[in-house]
């Protein structure tokens, strides 16, 4: 089948949906790969690298002509969407949660849209799970960004001039991003604590050498969905947890927040009062900034200074590691590709497969995902 790779047009998006490595694998599987010129430039992958492995480079129109499948990192803009061939399969991080208008636009355009965010969390789909691959890098980058903003060293240092105390880092949310943030902060020499509402996270946090901080009552013991996501907690639990966090956060130098609830605004975990209780020079990096932020003072794509505390709301942390983020995302797509073709390599999505069922937003001109009907 013909696979088209688009150049991303959203401001600040540096990733690309294919790498020379992934293109080589797709061509070896018998697919025709057409890439829009300049698609990989912001990820340090010039056109020449793609051409060297057999990809065809061209304009947007040439790239989309006759495409069976279109791979993208983010939802194409309206102008690009209007140029997609009717009946093609669009695969990308389409930000589907609750966005009925966008889903209807896909359906009206005759596009079969598959959202990478809806990849089921089952063992067979792990190699296709873009949320995990990108969150892993986001957690790493969040700590690197914090270390740049923080005006002190992370590790304890004993020098002839005196001792420098280790930084205290607190990670809120111990999912994929949070666990990587913990590991990275530990590697840099910080004393790390972490919290999460999911009981299973306690053991994972401890395994990385960090101390777990949470109100461990009966509600906490049942605070995880069957899919492995955190449930929204009661106001009573939130109040108890907030009290514990408030006393703990005042002693921290670096805080990384990662808490997200699929389809809802990010829960507010850090209030203005908590920020004001922190030491001047402290840093908060809010990974949840694109969904409103876990901190009351977070502003997307800004570093806010409040009472000497820096609150960083980077909207696209994986994009700040464009080459590696693209590489992992492209592998996710390569692993998904066999579910989009028949035994002869022709376009034939496995519509009955549980992975494809879970990812499909629109099909045959209709919105089909249960969360968007």
């Amino acid at each position: 089948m013909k696979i088209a790779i688009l150049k991303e047009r959203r401001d600040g998006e540096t990733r690309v949906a294919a790498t020379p490595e992934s293109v080589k694998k797709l061509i070896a599987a018998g697919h025709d790969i057409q890439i829009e010129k300049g698609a990989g430039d912001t990820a340090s992958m010039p056109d020449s690298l793609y051409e060297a492995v057999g990809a065809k480079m061209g304009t947007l129109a040439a790239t989309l002509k006759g495409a069976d499948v279109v791979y993208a990192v983010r939802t194409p803009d309206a102008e690009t969407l209007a140029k997609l061939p009717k009946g093609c399969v669009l695969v990308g991080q389409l930000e589907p949660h609750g966005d009925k208008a966008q889903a209807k636009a896909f359906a009206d355009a005759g596009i079969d849209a598959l959202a990478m965010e809806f990849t089921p969390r089952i063992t067979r789909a792990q190699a296709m799970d873009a949320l995990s691959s990108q969150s892993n890098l986001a957690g790493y980058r969040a700590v690197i960004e914090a270390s740049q903003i923080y005006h002190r060293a992370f590790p304890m240092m004993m020098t002839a001039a005196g001792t420098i105390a280790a930084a205290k880092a607190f990670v809120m949310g111990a999912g994929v991003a949070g666990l990587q943030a913990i590991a990275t902060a530990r590697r840099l020499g910080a004393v790390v604590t972490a919290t999460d509402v999911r009981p299973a996270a306690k053991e994972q946090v401890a395994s990385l050498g960090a101390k777990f901080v949470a109100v461990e009552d009966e509600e906490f013991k049942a605070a995880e969905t069957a899919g492995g996501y955190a449930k929204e907690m009661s106001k009573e639990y939130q109040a108890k947890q907030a009290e514990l966090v408030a006393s703990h956060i005042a002693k921290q130098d670096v805080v990384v927040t990662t808490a997200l609830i699929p389809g809802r605004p990010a829960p507010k975990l850090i209030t203005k009062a908590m920020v004001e209780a922190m030491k001047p020079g402290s840093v908060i990096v809010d990974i949840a900034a694109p969904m409103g932020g876990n901190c009351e003072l977070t502003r997307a794509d800004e570093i806010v200074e409040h009472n000497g505390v820096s609150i960083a709301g980077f909207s696209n942390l994986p994009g700040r590691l464009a080459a590696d983020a693209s590489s992992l995302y492209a592998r996710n797509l390569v692993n998904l590709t066999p579910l989009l073709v028949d035994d002869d390599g022709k376009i034939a999505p496995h519509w009955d497969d549980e992975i494809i069922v879970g990812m499909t937003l629109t099909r045959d001109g209709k919105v089909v995902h249960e969360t968007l009907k």
Side-chain angles (χ1 to χ4, degrees):
M1 66 178 177
K2 180 178 178 180
I3 300 174
I5 308 296
L6 299 182
K7 181 177 180 178
E8 299 298 316
R9 287 169 169 76
R10 185 175 300 200
D11 288 344
E13 185 52 74
T14 57
R15 294 169 289 177
V16 62
T19 64
E21 177 195 21
S22 73
V23 167
K24 189 175 180 179
K25 290 180 179 179
L26 291 170
I27 290 176
H31 304 301
D32 178 19
I33 311 300
Q34 181 80 47
I35 302 177
E36 187 177 357
K37 287 182 178 179
D41 286 352
T42 53
S44 303
M45 299 175 196
D47 293 349
S48 59
L49 294 182
Y50 292 106
E51 290 174 324
V53 294
K56 300 169 186 172
M57 311 301 296
T59 63
L60 175 61
T63 299
L64 291 175
K65 186 176 180 180
D68 298 304
V69 173
V70 176
Y71 285 158
V73 177
R74 307 286 283 275
T75 304
D77 58 24
E79 184 179 348
T80 304
L81 190 63
K83 297 176 181 177
L84 265 60
K86 188 172 183 178
C88 75
V89 176
L90 171 66
V91 183
Q93 296 177 108
L94 306 179
E95 300 166 281
H97 291 290
D99 195 345
K100 296 182 179 180
Q102 183 63 72
K104 187 175 185 303
F106 293 144
D108 290 346
I111 295 166
D112 296 336
L114 274 60
M116 293 297 283
E117 295 95 328
F118 281 166
T119 304
R121 288 204 156 178
I122 58 176
T123 301
R124 193 165 63 87
Q126 284 181 346
M128 310 167 200
D129 187 354
L131 274 183
S132 292
S133 72
Q134 302 304 292
S135 294
N136 189 48
L137 290 173
Y140 165 79
R141 187 68 191 199
V143 176
I144 299 302
E145 295 291 347
S147 71
Q148 182 179 14
I149 300 168
Y150 186 53
H151 294 157
R152 296 176 174 86
F154 268 45
M156 182 178 74
M157 295 184 183
M158 305 197 54
T159 75
T163 300
I164 296 172
K168 295 178 181 177
F170 182 41
V171 179
M172 304 184 73
V176 174
L179 291 173
Q180 185 57 249
I182 292 168
T184 304
R186 286 273 296 159
R187 287 190 208 104
L188 292 179
V191 176
V192 185
T193 52
T195 189
D196 196 286
V197 298
R198 296 172 301 117
K202 182 176 182 179
E203 185 177 341
Q204 295 170 325
V205 166
S207 72
L208 292 172
K211 182 180 178 182
F212 192 69
V213 177
V215 176
E216 299 183 47
D217 59 11
E218 291 303 314
E219 184 176 359
F220 170 80
K221 295 175 183 177
E224 190 169 348
T225 68
Y229 293 99
K231 289 182 180 178
E232 186 168 16
M233 307 300 280
S234 69
K235 293 194 180 300
E236 291 75 17
Y237 182 89
Q238 290 179 27
K240 289 188 288 185
Q241 179 75 353
E243 184 179 353
L244 176 64
V245 167
S247 61
H248 186 69
I249 210 171
K251 306 167 189 173
Q252 304 306 303
D253 301 303
V254 172
V255 179
V256 176
T257 66
T258 72
L260 288 168
I261 300 171
R264 300 190 184 186
K268 290 292 183 279
L269 304 179
I270 301 177
T271 64
K272 180 180 178 182
M274 290 180 190
V275 174
E276 291 173 348
M278 296 179 74
K279 295 174 289 186
S282 300
V283 177
I284 298 171
V285 177
D286 193 340
I287 292 180
M291 296 302 293
N294 295 140
C295 177
E296 190 178 337
L297 301 178
T298 297
R299 292 181 195 158
D301 297 313
E302 291 186 30
I303 298 178
V304 176
E305 299 282 346
H306 185 80
N307 273 23
V309 178
S310 300
I311 304 107
F314 301 107
S315 287
N316 185 5
L317 282 164
R320 300 174 85 85
L321 295 161
D324 283 336
S326 298
S327 179
L328 294 183
Y329 183 67
R331 290 176 199 168
N332 293 144
L333 293 172
V334 168
N335 293 328
L336 174 69
T337 302
L339 295 181
L340 302 179
V341 297
D342 59 21
D343 292 339
D344 296 323
K346 296 180 180 178
I347 181 71
H350 301 194
W351 297 118
D352 295 331
D353 188 285
E354 62 182 323
I355 295 174
I356 299 300
V357 169
M359 298 173 67
T360 303
L361 305 183
T362 59
R363 181 183 174 190
D364 298 332
K366 298 178 181 178
V367 176
V368 297
H369 201 279
E370 57 185 13
T371 64
L372 297 170
K373 290 181 180 179

